Amino acid sequence: SLAPTPIQQSLNFGSALIYPLSKKWQWSFTADVRRVLEPTDVIKLLHLGTELKHSVFGIRAGANQGYLAYGFSIEFPPHTRLHFSSYGVELGNKRWEKEQRWYLLQLNIGFNPN
């Protein structure tokens, strides 16, 4: 048998600021720098975002590797959430060389027996 394929080391940094605007509203800002040790354009490493969230819905926008990212979510109390998002990923070696756009739809249903 062969030795397992080595896992490439990566170093990531991130932060988030969350501002409560009222009892039901909050605004958040996030920033991530991923794979810091990888020799590539800085724009491919940078991920920025903001979200305006109400107790029932949320709206998001940002940048992923220099491409627009956006989404929204709806929460149906008590345990159901519907999320939609879209973001671009750079497939080339340089910035804005070849974008692949992803669309995600997620439905979460939670059950609490208590």
Side-chain angles (χ1 to χ4, degrees):
S1 77
L2 299 172
T5 306
I7 298 172
Q8 187 177 20
Q9 180 180 354
S10 68
L11 183 62
N12 304 320
F13 295 103
S15 66
L17 296 171
I18 300 173
Y19 295 105
L21 300 174
S22 69
K23 195 171 188 177
K24 292 187 177 187
W25 288 92
Q26 72 179 20
W27 197 347
S28 62
F29 301 94
T30 61
D32 293 326
V33 180
R34 300 180 189 163
R35 298 183 307 271
V36 174
L37 303 175
E38 188 175 298
T40 187
D41 288 338
V42 174
I43 197 79
K44 283 187 66 175
L45 307 176
L46 193 58
H47 308 269
L48 303 170
T50 184
E51 178 183 34
L52 181 62
K53 188 170 183 332
H54 186 268
S55 59
V56 178
F57 66 92
I59 301 170
R60 292 180 284 286
N64 182 64
Q65 296 183 342
Y67 294 107
L68 175 67
Y70 55 89
F72 69 89
S73 61
I74 300 172
E75 298 185 17
F76 304 101
H79 305 293
T80 304
R81 295 182 181 140
L82 179 66
H83 300 281
F84 170 78
S85 60
S86 177
Y87 62 95
V89 176
E90 179 57 61
L91 298 179
N93 294 323
K94 298 179 182 172
R95 72 180 108 179
W96 303 306
E97 186 176 340
K98 186 176 182 184
E99 176 190 14
Q100 182 178 43
R101 173 104 350 227
W102 285 86
Y103 299 93
L104 299 149
L105 183 63
Q106 181 181 45
L107 175 64
N108 297 332
I109 301 173
F111 297 97
N112 187 358
N114 294 331

